[in-house]
Amino acid sequence: AQSVTQLDSQVPVFEEAPVELRCNYSSSVSVYLFWYVQYPNQGLQLLLKYLSGSTLVKGINGFEAEFNKSQTSFHLRKPSVHISDTAEYFCAVSPVYSGNTPLVFGKGTRLSVIA
Amino acid sequence: DGGITQSPKYLFRKEGQNVTLSCEQNLNHDAMYWYRQDPGQGLRLIYYSQIVNDFQKGDIAEGYSVSREKKESFPLTVTSAQKNPTAFYLCASTNSGANVLTFGAGSRLTVL
């Protein structure tokens, strides 16, 4: 079975500052990794995904994440945040070649961008 | 445009009543999922279906029921047996094999 730990429940950051949202996972098999974003009272939207290949993954809205197999981490970064980045961010994992086995989600990190 | 439609957006229910949340997709996806979201608890899986007329329990299935009679529809019934039903409910679907989920906009259920 897989599990996901998002190390920070809330992250406040000033506008135009860099941010890192941390995600660690546990799995006995190879995994796919995802970051989703949720704006208030909306569904989740895919930010980026790691399936294979380069460990540095670029997504929408200027976000990127790096897969680190030895540290079982998939931290999300943005060099300069905007007010519009205020949202909740979820890390998720699924085993490779699992068909449509449900994703396992972390508990989320609420990013608050301060003007 | 293709997507997932959840209805109603907001729903109020008295204790002891069953309610059904609708989830319809026009993406031709095979697999559909229901998640429950509570503050600080992330998303927890209620039920999922990988093919028509078949579904499996997730981590918190007690007090809920589903059906999958058509590929595009996966309604969720919150029964009176669910002890704490007030929550935000999210429906999702996928067909990619790499589990890239598409989500609906959610339904917020409040028990009065």
Side-chain angles (χ1 to χ4, degrees):
Chain A
Q2 290 70 44
S3 67
V4 176
T5 301
Q6 292 186 241
L7 296 159
D8 305 293
S9 60
Q10 297 186 60
V11 173
V13 62
F14 286 105
E15 193 175 17
E16 298 184 6
V19 69
E20 178 180 81
L21 307 184
R22 298 180 292 167
C23 172
N24 285 91
Y25 69 93
S26 173
S27 177
S28 59
V29 299
S30 296
V31 295
Y32 298 137
L33 292 155
F34 308 83
W35 276 100
Y36 284 83
V37 61
Q38 184 183 34
Y39 300 102
N41 291 313
Q42 294 185 27
L44 276 67
Q45 176 184 358
L46 181 69
L47 263 183
L48 49 78
K49 60 184 183 291
Y50 172 78
L51 303 181
S52 65
S54 173
T55 57
L56 182 63
V57 179
K58 294 189 182 298
I60 62 172
N61 301 339
F63 284 93
E64 64 181 30
E66 186 159 18
F67 171 53
N68 188 318
K69 188 174 182 178
S70 63
Q71 297 187 6
T72 61
S73 68
F74 191 54
H75 300 333
L76 181 70
R77 302 184 182 99
K78 185 170 183 178
S80 175
V81 295
H82 303 290
I83 294 290
S84 59
D85 293 322
T86 294
E88 190 150 22
Y89 293 79
F90 293 93
C91 183
V93 64
S94 75
V96 173
Y97 305 128
S98 63
N100 293 321
T101 301
L103 295 186
V104 174
F105 285 86
K107 293 188 176 183
T109 297
R110 185 170 299 277
L111 174 64
S112 298
V113 180
I114 305 161
Chain B
D1 288 338
I4 298 180
T5 301
Q6 289 188 240
S7 62
K9 178 71 173 176
Y10 299 96
L11 185 60
F12 297 89
R13 183 195 100 173
K14 294 182 180 179
E15 284 191 18
Q17 290 180 334
N18 293 354
V19 293
T20 297
L21 307 181
S22 170
C23 178
E24 303 278 332
Q25 54 101 356
N26 60 4
L27 300 165
N28 200 33
H29 285 173
D30 288 322
M32 297 186 73
Y33 309 82
W34 275 104
Y35 287 92
R36 170 178 171 145
Q37 184 177 16
D38 297 282
Q41 296 197 44
L43 276 69
R44 293 182 290 168
L45 182 68
I46 305 172
Y47 270 98
Y48 66 104
S49 168
Q50 295 184 326
I51 196 169
V52 174
N53 292 323
D54 188 41
F55 47 84
Q56 289 77 41
K57 292 182 178 180
D59 301 318
I60 56 165
E62 185 176 351
Y64 299 97
S65 66
V66 293
S67 63
R68 188 84 188 277
E69 298 176 0
K70 299 185 297 182
K71 186 176 185 178
E72 59 269 24
S73 179
F74 191 42
L76 173 73
T77 297
V78 184
T79 76
S80 57
Q82 169 51 234
K83 297 305 179 188
N84 186 22
T86 294
F88 191 54
Y89 291 88
L90 287 160
C91 180
S93 68
T94 186
N95 209 30
S96 65
N99 288 335
V100 177
L101 296 179
T102 299
F103 281 85
S107 293
R108 186 170 297 281
L109 172 62
T110 302
V111 174
L112 303 174

